Amino acid sequence: MKESPSPRIGILVVAYNAETTLEKTLDRIPEDFRSRIDEVLILDDASHDATFTAGCRWSQAEGMPRTVVMRHTKNLGYGGNQKAGYALAAEHGLDIVVLLHGDGQYAPELLPEMVAPIERGECEAVFGSRMMTSGSALKGGMPMYKWLGNRVLTRLENGLLGSGLTEFHSGYRAYSVAALKQLPIDRNTDAFDFDTQIIVQLLNAGMRIKEIPVPTYYGDEICYVNGMKYAKDVVKDVLEYRLAVKGFGTCPWIPKPVDYAFKEGDGSSHAVILEKMRRLPPGRVLDLGCSGGLFAERLESLGHEVTGVDYVEVPGVRERCTHFHLANLEEGLPADIGTGFDYVVAGDVIEHLSRPERVLAEVAGVLRPGGRVLLSVPNFSHWYSRLRVAVGAFGYDRRGILDETHLRFFTRASLRRTVRAAGYDVLDLASTGAPFWSLLGRGPLAAVLGGMSRLLTRIRPTLFGYQHVALLTPHAAETIIAGEHVDVQDILNRQYVPADRVGV
């Protein structure tokens, strides 16, 4: 059996005004480990001293690993320097990259221990923690105020993220380059809280982090971190993430889920539509914006035959739908979608279209006579969006009424106008309460607020309704012409009416 090749290991050295410490730090890399290093990347972040010269001098010494020394002509910031380094590591085909500070604050002697868990496949990231061994940080010279701030912030961050790290603020880290490629680190801050954002991204992606104890070194190096600003930034990052997963704000450095998480009976628009579908006889359903097919799966279990349409193919969707079409509804319905559908479902879809009237008109053409359309839209006149506008704090969210991907906003009145202009009669128009369960979980507070929201929605849906759910049918008025029933639409489609067919 052929052995797999050893991973290519790189050391990323971030340096700023580190002329006096850089070479001493690099000299501490264990000699028996140097042969395993494929490349050392020294990135001088526009230092004002001779850091770049020191790096070049070390790289040319006898017996050193292959070394690339780069100097940015403009200061990129602590996070920006890391972004440049990780991009270079990926470009050079490295498998593991270790972040090492050029000021000697972290122990190069432990590089073998830093990469070992990733080599064994135990995790995607290794953090050197100064807090794992009780009392070692203070013995190593960490000032009491920094030690206390580290402990308080780490505890707060663990509580908000549900993690169990002993330290969030160590700059000694090793990463799988393949894992870094999966994270949108290019969207991260260029400041010192870059390290916190990358932890959040790893946890959000379900990646594994392993900690090892490392000693603490505090010398006479200059600290460029503004402690109060840093504390504010890392707390803001974690809170921004927590709000983002609940749908508030945009948080560009956290990927947005491709599919929606449908929960039956949660009071959402899809749950309301499903309840309406339970009372209708089984038939052929066209599910527009079917996402991963979770809603379609429920319809199939009720005896319906579902054809799903979406502009992305979420894994598993073809197993949950009888048929699936990959298509962008902004360009209209797919030409080969078929006709004769008993029902068309458009749950939270038309607000994403620049011309929803066009798609709704096309939908009428694929319905059988007497077919039904069930659609839902967020209510822009809900108190939440009204309040945001009133206080001058309008902005987009990751989902909900102010979803950043919405192209059209609807109120109850504008929804009626839109569907009537598209040729539909409104058979029923209901409104859902606000989804407090999504923000607060399934606890008693969410239940109480949810009950109040439903009551207020019944009293005044235009203000308290979170979403409007409509049941529609194509306008099918008939008239009598020369003794026969003719669909009005047939008349409109004719270029002329012969004189002998004028109504009596």
Side-chain angles (χ1 to χ4, degrees):
M1 182 177 177
K2 186 177 179 180
E3 294 185 7
S4 58
S6 299
R8 300 190 67 225
I9 299 171
I11 312 298
L12 170 60
V13 184
V14 291
Y16 179 68
N17 292 343
E19 174 188 1
T20 60
T21 58
L22 180 59
E23 291 174 276
K24 296 175 185 177
T25 300
L26 295 172
D27 284 340
R28 291 164 55 191
I29 297 176
E31 291 190 11
D32 59 354
F33 184 72
R34 293 179 185 178
S35 61
R36 297 180 54 200
I37 299 174
D38 281 83
E39 201 164 50
V40 177
L41 308 174
I42 302 175
L43 272 61
D44 171 18
D45 198 19
S47 298
H48 301 299
D49 63 8
T51 297
F52 179 71
T53 302
C56 292
R57 187 166 52 240
W58 186 86
S59 70
Q60 294 167 10
E62 186 177 351
M64 297 308 174
R66 181 178 185 273
T67 302
V68 174
V69 186
M70 300 176 61
R71 182 179 186 277
H72 305 309
T73 58
K74 176 184 177 182
N75 186 274
L76 302 181
Y78 175 70
N81 203 12
Q82 285 193 62
K83 293 179 194 178
Y86 297 141
L88 193 62
E91 182 182 323
H92 288 197
L94 299 177
D95 299 305
I96 299 173
V97 59
V98 185
L99 175 66
L100 185 66
H101 289 209
D103 60 7
Q105 198 176 118
Y106 298 102
E109 294 84 358
L110 293 180
L111 282 170
E113 288 80 1
M114 289 291 292
V115 302
I118 300 177
E119 289 182 300
R120 294 193 296 264
E122 297 174 0
C123 57
E124 286 71 45
V126 178
F127 292 176
S129 172
R130 298 166 294 183
M131 302 293 181
M132 286 187 75
T133 304
S134 179
S136 66
L138 292 173
K139 290 177 182 177
M142 181 181 290
M144 174 60 75
Y145 75 92
K146 287 193 174 185
W147 179 87
L148 183 61
N150 192 316
R151 298 294 291 175
V152 170
L153 286 174
T154 294
R155 182 162 188 166
L156 175 64
E157 289 164 314
N158 276 326
L160 290 171
L161 296 173
S163 53
L165 297 176
T166 62
E167 183 181 7
F168 264 74
H169 310 289
S170 167
Y172 200 11
R173 304 178 173 199
Y175 297 108
S176 158
V177 176
L180 289 178
K181 289 179 180 178
Q182 298 178 47
L183 305 177
I185 61 175
D186 58 307
R187 302 178 189 172
N188 289 11
T189 177
D190 290 336
F192 287 99
D193 53 320
F194 174 92
D195 283 347
T196 293
Q197 291 185 350
I198 206 169
I199 291 177
V200 174
Q201 289 171 329
L202 288 165
L203 295 173
N204 180 71
M207 295 183 182
R208 300 163 297 174
I209 301 173
K210 184 178 178 66
E211 292 182 291
I212 67 168
V214 297
T216 303
Y217 294 110
Y218 268 86
D220 57 0
E221 69 276 355
I222 299 174
C223 179
Y224 296 95
V225 183
N226 181 324
M228 294 303 295
K229 182 181 184 303
Y230 173 76
K232 176 180 70 69
D233 287 343
V234 298
V235 172
K236 177 185 70 67
D237 289 337
V238 177
L239 290 174
E240 182 181 27
Y241 168 73
R242 291 299 302 165
L243 289 171
V245 296
K246 299 297 184 182
F248 297 100
T250 53
C251 196
W253 49 276
I254 292 295
K256 189 175 181 180
V258 181
D259 56 340
Y260 60 81
F262 172 69
K263 295 182 177 63
E264 195 166 348
D266 59 12
S268 67
S269 57
H270 282 84
V272 172
I273 292 174
L274 183 62
E275 281 305 306
K276 292 181 180 296
M277 292 293 292
R278 289 184 190 280
R279 298 191 288 269
L280 297 172
R284 295 179 62 225
V285 180
L286 178 61
D287 184 7
L288 301 179
C290 65
S291 189
L294 297 178
F295 179 78
E297 188 174 44
R298 266 69 165 192
L299 293 180
E300 293 267 356
S301 68
L302 296 176
H304 297 283
E305 178 188 298
V306 180
T307 297
V309 179
D310 213 316
Y311 75 101
V312 293
E313 182 171 341
V314 178
V317 64
R318 292 185 186 271
E319 287 71 44
R320 300 185 182 108
C321 302
T322 302
H323 307 287
F324 175 75
H325 292 262
L326 187 65
N328 184 358
L329 292 175
E330 186 66 25
E331 301 170 0
L333 294 182
D336 58 345
I337 198 70
T339 58
F341 289 99
D342 299 288
Y343 314 104
V344 174
V345 175
D348 304 340
V349 169
I350 66 171
E351 65 271 20
H352 296 272
L353 304 176
S354 61
R355 296 176 59 191
E357 301 87 352
R358 183 184 65 174
V359 174
L360 287 173
E362 291 182 8
V363 164
V366 300
L367 275 172
R368 67 163 176 77
R372 299 287 186 265
V373 175
L374 296 98
L375 66 80
S376 62
V377 296
N379 174 28
F380 187 70
S381 64
H382 184 266
W383 62 262
Y384 169 71
S385 48
R386 289 194 194 194
L387 183 62
R388 291 278 295 269
V389 173
V391 300
F394 177 82
Y396 288 98
D397 293 326
R398 288 165 69 90
R399 62 174 182 263
I401 298 172
L402 301 179
D403 189 311
E404 59 187 329
T405 62
H406 288 179
L407 300 179
R408 295 282 291 267
F409 290 129
F410 290 96
T411 64
R412 188 179 175 95
S414 68
L415 175 62
R416 285 184 180 275
R417 289 196 299 269
T418 299
V419 298
R420 283 173 177 166
Y424 291 89
D425 291 329
V426 179
L427 301 180
D428 180 63
L429 184 56
S431 300
T432 70
F436 286 104
W437 57 267
S438 178
L439 180 63
L440 302 173
R442 299 289 180 178
L445 179 59
V448 171
L449 291 176
M452 292 176 57
S453 177
R454 289 190 292 273
L455 175 61
L456 292 170
T457 297
R458 285 196 292 271
I459 297 172
R460 192 175 177 188
T462 55
L463 179 61
F464 295 102
Y466 190 75
Q467 288 176 297
H468 298 311
V469 182
L471 176 64
L472 315 172
T473 189
H475 188 63
E478 294 181 334
T479 189
I480 299 175
I481 299 179
E484 58 179 301
H485 290 279
V486 180
D487 192 288
V488 169
Q489 192 62 41
D490 289 342
I491 299 176
L492 296 177
N493 290 338
R494 295 176 184 175
Q495 294 182 0
Y496 67 96
V497 180
D500 61 347
R501 296 294 302 275
V502 176
V504 178

